[in-house]
Amino acid sequence: MERNNKADNEFGVNMRIEIDNFDDYRKSCREFLEREIVPEHQAWEDNGLMARSFWEKLGQSGLLGISVSPEYGGLGKHDYRFAVILTEELIRAGVTVPGIVAHNDIIASYIFALGSGEQKQKWLPELCLGKRVAAIAMTEPSGGSNTADIKTVAKRQGDHYLVNGGKTYITNGINADLIVVAVKTEQGQQGQGISLLVIERDMAGFSRGEPMKKIGWNGSDTAELFFHDCKVPVTNLIGRENLGNYYFMSAMPRERLSISAVAVASAEHILQSTLAYVKERKAFDQPIGSFQYNRFILAQLDTEVKIARVYLDNAVEQFSKGLFSLVDAARIKWWTTELQMKVADRCLQLHGGAGYMRDSVAGKNWLNSRAQTIYGGTSEVLQEMISKSMGL
Ligand SMILES: Cc1cc2nc3c(=O)[nH]c(=O)nc-3n(C[C@H](O)[C@H](O)[C@H](O)COP(=O)(O)OP(=O)(O)OC[C@H]3O[C@@H](n4cnc5c(N)ncnc54)[C@H](O)[C@@H]3O)c2cc1C
């Protein structure tokens, strides 16, 4: 695989991954994560921060910018199954997912789809090499569910905007070098006058808080961002002024599908490891998985997880063909993430006290699953959207 980079041996090993075949790609992802990432992941969890070196290793390996064209340093693979395989392997390895998906899948796609030729040349190669880390900032302290109600203001003054306001709960918020920020460029009705600006690390008037202490996904950094008369060149406007809400809605199917892929992979993973556990662990002189109550619980979960897999595979196919709507994305996102939470909860119960321990696989899955029904659109907001599409 040709990659627009210089030193594939910068980390002392040959990390270049062959991507033309799904099985080989999966094998390479697995080997790369086990060799390079798993040994240091506990330190990320302890610090609440992904190591910067990780991004470059990931970039050098060819795992970033899967859908970005080779002209800009990516791999030009539009089949979304590649992105799903990476997610599945991250889950399998127990490596934090949200920051990687945000950088790799969501922000790179925004810039690739909407950026000018100059912007793509400026940002994408470095994003694909992991030399710069990206974040997307929509949510504000006053509320995240109503994405049309943006209060951060950008006033145009000649060749730049002056941005004032703040964002919260931003994934990669500490590490990010460039952040796609939703701002209000024109007052008026909710949802109108929103634009997307790229705010970069050293811009005057931009600061961030300490890493936020979450209950799950501890290896991924999350932060508050503050803009005080932050001077952003007009050339950092993504797409056209005042069309931000439209762009945001167009990008939502991908973001929600990526979260659904995390949900299904996590549900499969936790069910599989629980099955192994209940066959070994005994109570009343018999394996706990052999009690009828537990067998039925596991049979039900197994059925639902298999339904979720079929649903996801179909959605991925539809997405890759450009046939996946905002409402389709809302349906699969709320349903698979609620299922993930249910599976994680039942499986923790089957582990007894061991599942309640912070560092247990069951405990971590339970905590990680909790965010899934919140970010990327809460289950309630998504069901509002679906019901409206039904004429209700
Ligand atoms: C780990 C994590 C990472 C995140 N990463 C990012 C990121 O990278 N970028 C970013 O921009 N944001 C990010 N977020 C923020 C996330 O998108 C918001 O938390 C989410 O959109 C909900 O907004 P809120 O927290 O302000 O909740 P609120 O909007 O205050 O909602 C609170 C509750 O009210 C409910 N509610 C709201 N409206 C309705 C309604 N119409 N009907 C019924 N119930 C309703 C909601 O469903 C929810 O249960 C992240 C959040 C978390 C937890």
Side-chain angles (χ1 to χ4, degrees), residues 60-368:
Q60 292 292 335
S61 74
L63 288 170
L64 294 177
I66 297 171
S67 62
V68 172
S69 79
E71 191 189 348
Y72 301 112
L75 300 169
K77 300 287 179 191
H78 298 295
D79 189 323
Y80 199 70
R81 279 176 292 178
F82 284 109
V84 173
I85 287 173
L86 175 56
T87 293
E88 288 167 354
E89 291 306 314
L90 288 164
I91 297 287
R92 184 183 178 278
V95 172
T96 190
V97 182
I100 301 165
V101 171
H103 169 106
N104 196 28
D105 201 15
I106 299 163
I107 295 121
S109 308
Y110 263 101
I111 295 174
F112 185 55
L114 301 169
S116 65
E118 206 175 309
Q119 288 173 332
K120 290 182 200 178
Q121 279 299 354
K122 184 176 169 201
W123 293 316
L124 286 175
E126 287 192 333
L127 290 186
C128 292
L129 280 174
K131 290 195 182 297
R132 294 228 258 174
V133 177
I136 185 152
M138 303 282 168
T139 307
E140 304 195 338
S142 59
S145 292
N146 185 359
T147 51
D149 188 20
I150 297 287
K151 295 191 165 50
T152 298
V153 172
K155 282 209 173 115
R156 186 160 175 173
Q157 296 195 340
D159 63 354
H160 64 269
Y161 293 96
L162 270 191
V163 180
N164 281 288
K167 301 285 175 179
T168 192
Y169 310 136
I170 304 308
T171 300
N172 294 340
I174 299 290
N175 267 330
D177 303 294
L178 65 88
I179 303 160
V180 176
V181 182
V183 294
K184 194 95 175 159
T185 35
E186 195 174 274
Q187 292 313 311
Q189 284 185 343
Q190 275 191 15
Q192 293 177 357
I194 293 172
S195 302
L196 302 178
L197 290 181
V198 170
I199 297 190
E200 297 179 71
R201 176 171 282 282
D202 295 322
M203 287 182 170
F206 167 41
S207 60
R208 43 193 128 201
E210 293 296 308
M212 297 175 97
K213 291 195 168 101
K214 303 189 294 297
I215 59 170
W217 292 128
N218 289 314
S220 136
D221 49 300
T222 308
E224 279 183 282
L225 311 178
F226 309 104
F227 310 108
H228 182 70
D229 284 341
C230 177
K231 204 170 161 181
V232 183
V234 169
T235 48
N236 280 25
L237 173 74
I238 299 276
R240 286 170 53 192
E241 206 176 64
N242 301 329
L243 290 185
N245 205 39
Y246 167 74
Y247 298 144
F248 180 54
M249 290 302 156
S250 315
M252 264 300 145
R254 176 185 283 269
E255 180 169 345
R256 290 178 179 153
L257 185 58
S258 74
I259 296 170
S260 309
V262 173
V264 176
S266 302
E268 287 173 341
H269 180 64
I270 184 67
L271 188 56
Q272 205 177 20
S273 64
T274 302
L275 215 46
Y277 183 80
V278 298
K279 286 176 185 171
E280 288 292 321
R281 177 81 177 173
K282 288 191 173 149
F284 302 97
D285 294 328
Q286 66 182 84
I288 52 172
S290 67
F291 296 112
Q292 189 189 51
Y293 182 86
N294 295 339
R295 279 191 288 113
F296 282 16
I297 291 278
L298 286 160
Q300 287 161 21
L301 296 181
D302 176 67
T303 308
E304 285 178 275
V305 169
K306 285 197 166 48
I307 293 169
R309 169 52 66 182
V310 174
Y311 189 7
L312 178 72
D313 287 351
N314 178 261
V316 167
E317 198 182 326
Q318 296 299 100
F319 178 79
S320 298
K321 288 181 185 163
L323 299 173
F324 187 66
S325 72
L326 199 55
V327 179
D328 292 332
R331 287 191 196 101
I332 193 166
K333 198 271 179 181
W334 90 260
W335 190 79
T336 55
T337 57
E338 294 284 342
L339 176 66
Q340 176 192 354
M341 212 162 63
K342 175 171 147 186
V343 172
D345 193 61
R346 302 286 191 281
C347 287
L348 187 148
Q349 183 72 14
L350 284 162
H351 281 77
Y356 196 65
M357 295 302 110
R358 189 190 293 263
D359 290 330
S360 69
V361 172
K364 280 188 184 176
N365 269 288
W366 188 70
L367 289 164
N368 292 345

